[in-house]
Amino acid sequence: LSSDDLTAERLAEIDPEITTARRQIELLDTEIESLRAEEAQRQADADQTRAQNPTNTDQRDAAIDGSGPVRIRREPRTYERHDVSRSYFRDLAMFRHSGDQQAAERLNAHLAEMRVEIPAFEQRVLRRVEEVIEAEARGSTVVPIDYESSAESRLRASMGFDLRAISTTDGAGGEFVPPLWMIEEFISYARAGRVSANLVRSLPLPPGTDTIKLPKVTGGSSVASQATENSTISNTDITSNSVSGDVVTVAGAQDVSLQLVEQSPVAFDEIILADLMAAHAAEINTQVLNGSGSSGQMKGILNVSGFNTVTYTDTTPTIPELWPKIGDAAAQVAANRYMPATHAILHSTRWYWMASQLDSSNRPFITTTGNGPDNAMALLEGATQGRVSNLMGLEAYSDALVPNNLGTGTNEDRIIACRPREMYLFEGAVRTRVLFETKGDQLTVVFQLYSYDAFIADRRANAISVIAGTGLTTPSF
């Protein structure tokens, strides 16, 4: 993120998140100071106890006064990864099934831990994001948080998706909050299935609503030169309406035998939750791209009304013929939105087809960054998921969930040039629960994972351009 990139609008978009991050960090610093004061008091109490009991020279006292070896260890969480002796889902199931008191105690202990560790986890992410933002604003080199290259994208992903799924309050109870290692696993799994969803602006879902509505100005004021002194000046009323997104439920379930719950020697949480969360992330991303807006789905980018269209008709498509269409798509966003497109989203197969195209001298149009490119169309910067290149000034993202079964022949994919920050994804906390009665006659336990979400892609539909046509049929290599 160079100083040239810091336009007034981008600063206006980034600044509120940075301000929020700094406020959170200030709160954390205050809490740290409070903890330091408590630790100092404990140290003083320990010194007083030692003074009153000089014969007590065990290792703990030696560690406190510095005269002996110091051993510092972190108490294990109630539910640790790969700990086969304790299982979050098993405890949740046994508590619901038979009121197991030991399971209840572990769940309550877990809740107390999460009330401390989740805010600390949030602060670590926020602090790291702020470091990246400030370092890249100075032009310094930093270690990336994830595959996304720009500081703004990382801020958006970390402030949005990464944090929204770890609330201890947005649910039926703290025991429904997965363990912290599962949350971290959710983030790593989610990256592969949420390429496009992580680009849009992610906001927490307001409670107690089934529809999100945003006001939209459809006609603006007018300004013109005054014809003569004391003559009437230009005066046009603003007109407005609203755009909306319905709150939908995105959910999945996994059936597990009661025998596995009660008798399994392994913690099957890792298998069940990782699989459900990966599927959940992929479904959110799919609906952001191509949700129908009916039958309980959010309305995706490709199904909103009013976006800019670019038709690419070609029976023998080539990258030189596709290239002007990308430019047309970006130009329409700039002309109609009066702000430039910032991102291009395309199917991973389409990207590799583009990267494999050769000119008349068998030289690739898109070259790797290490090959000293001369007049290349683009550089091959990334892998199959996430940011892969820069196409005509657009950050290009490869997403395997871009539909490739569209068009009259049901064999076309799409290329989207857009400003993702114009789109709002409202996400509720991911919740888990367990049911015994549904398939009780089969001794089957049903584990469920679900969230409430809403997406508004048409807040400014003219910030979206879609390239479609026979030139985007399944590519041949």
Side-chain angles (χ1 to χ4, degrees):
L1 186 67
S2 66
S3 59
D4 294 337
D5 295 326
L6 295 176
T7 62
E9 181 176 80
R10 294 192 72 185
L11 282 171
E13 292 175 346
I14 296 173
D15 186 65
E17 281 94 345
I18 295 179
T19 301
T20 300
R22 285 175 173 161
R23 187 179 300 114
Q24 295 287 344
I25 291 170
E26 290 172 358
L27 292 174
L28 181 61
D29 289 339
T30 301
E31 183 177 351
I32 290 173
E33 290 302 319
S34 176
L35 291 174
R36 284 175 176 168
E38 292 178 7
E39 179 61 27
Q41 183 61 49
R42 283 195 294 270
Q43 179 75 24
D45 293 343
D47 291 342
Q48 182 178 1
T49 301
R50 244 191 340 271
Q52 295 173 350
N53 300 278
T55 59
N56 186 358
T57 58
D58 62 16
Q59 182 170 303
R60 178 177 297 178
D61 286 337
I64 292 175
D65 63 20
S67 61
V70 177
R71 295 184 180 181
I72 301 175
R73 68 183 180 123
R74 179 182 66 83
E75 288 294 325
R77 302 186 188 105
T78 302
Y79 302 110
E80 291 279 13
R81 187 172 188 178
H82 305 311
D83 182 357
V84 299
S85 65
R86 295 179 178 180
S87 164
Y88 165 73
F89 268 159
R90 182 187 295 126
D91 281 349
L92 190 58
M94 297 312 296
F95 174 64
R96 295 301 185 202
H97 176 52
S98 59
D100 188 308
Q101 289 304 304
Q102 291 184 336
E105 290 174 2
R106 286 190 292 268
L107 289 169
N108 286 330
H110 162 67
L111 172 58
E113 293 167 358
M114 292 302 98
R115 284 176 173 164
V116 174
E117 296 208 21
I118 284 177
F121 175 70
E122 291 177 343
Q123 298 303 329
R124 290 197 300 272
V125 174
L126 290 169
R127 188 182 295 274
R128 178 60 178 140
V129 168
E130 186 176 57
E131 289 174 357
V132 171
I133 292 290
E134 293 180 346
E136 292 197 2
R138 296 192 304 268
S140 304
T141 301
V142 294
V143 178
I145 294 176
D146 54 31
Y147 64 74
E148 295 181 299
S149 65
S150 75
E152 182 184 2
S153 295
R154 284 196 291 276
L155 175 66
R156 181 161 58 255
S158 297
M159 291 286 292
F161 169 68
D162 288 1
L163 303 187
R164 63 93 185 173
I166 53 178
S167 168
T168 58
T169 57
D170 186 10
E175 67 272 22
F176 294 120
V177 180
L180 190 60
W181 71 259
M182 290 186 178
I183 294 167
E184 294 165 345
E185 186 75 1
F186 188 4
I187 294 173
S188 63
Y189 267 86
R191 292 300 181 196
R194 285 184 52 113
V195 174
S196 297
N198 282 346
L199 294 177
V200 304
R201 187 189 293 265
S202 184
L203 300 169
L205 181 73
T209 182
D210 59 1
T211 302
I212 304 293
K213 290 189 176 182
L214 298 177
K216 178 178 180 179
V217 175
T218 56
S221 305
S222 62
V223 174
S225 296
Q226 187 179 21
T228 60
E229 293 183 10
N230 298 318
S231 62
T232 303
I233 64 172
S234 179
N235 187 343
T236 303
D237 292 338
I238 289 176
T239 59
S240 65
N241 58 18
S242 64
V243 293
S244 64
D246 292 336
V247 177
V248 306
T249 304
V250 180
Q254 185 64 246
D255 295 346
V256 180
S257 71
L258 182 60
Q259 291 87 342
L260 178 60
V261 172
E262 295 184 335
Q263 300 295 116
S264 175
V266 301
F268 54 90
D269 298 8
E270 298 181 30
I271 299 173
I272 294 176
L273 194 64
D275 188 56
L276 283 173
M277 286 182 165
H280 179 277
E283 180 61 21
I284 291 288
N285 197 79
T286 296
Q287 292 193 31
V288 163
L289 284 168
N290 198 37
S292 65
S294 61
S295 301
Q297 290 190 2
M298 298 180 285
K299 181 178 288 187
I301 297 171
L302 295 174
N303 287 312
V304 300
S305 300
F307 59 63
N308 312 304
T309 59
V310 177
T311 302
Y312 176 36
T313 303
D314 199 335
T315 56
T316 56
T318 65
I319 190 170
E321 294 166 342
L322 172 62
W323 194 251
K325 303 299 181 180
I326 298 175
D328 186 9
Q332 289 198 45
V333 171
N336 297 319
R337 171 62 185 92
Y338 303 111
M339 291 293 291
T342 57
H343 292 72
I345 303 171
L346 65 164
H347 194 282
S348 53
T349 302
R350 180 63 54 193
W351 166 246
Y352 277 113
W353 171 79
M354 294 172 63
S356 68
Q357 292 291 292
L358 306 176
D359 65 13
S360 58
S361 299
N362 289 327
R363 296 170 300 187
F365 289 107
I366 296 176
T367 66
T368 58
T369 55
N371 284 348
D374 182 16
N375 200 31
M377 284 184 169
L379 299 180
L380 183 61
E381 300 176 2
T384 182
Q385 292 283 349
R387 191 181 191 278
V388 291
S389 187
N390 184 297
L391 296 176
M392 206 174 294
L394 306 177
E395 291 190 35
Y397 280 74
S398 167
D399 190 338
L401 295 178
V402 171
N404 58 1
N405 59 347
L406 305 177
T408 55
T410 63
N411 61 349
E412 298 175 11
D413 55 77
R414 297 289 184 261
I415 298 177
I416 304 169
C418 63
R419 292 176 55 82
R421 292 286 283 173
E422 307 281 8
M423 311 172 205
Y424 289 177
L425 177 60
F426 297 87
E427 301 187 81
V430 174
R431 311 175 189 181
T432 58
R433 68 172 187 161
V434 60
L435 303 173
F436 279 87
E437 296 81 4
T438 305
K439 297 186 178 181
D441 58 342
Q442 303 172 27
L443 292 182
T444 300
V445 184
V446 180
F447 293 101
Q448 294 182 340
L449 179 145
Y450 66 101
S451 68
Y452 300 126
D453 309 277
F455 183 50
I456 299 178
D458 55 352
R459 175 172 167 267
R460 286 196 177 104
N462 55 13
I464 303 168
S465 289
V466 177
I467 305 174
T470 56
L472 295 180
T473 56
T474 305
S476 300
F477 290 85

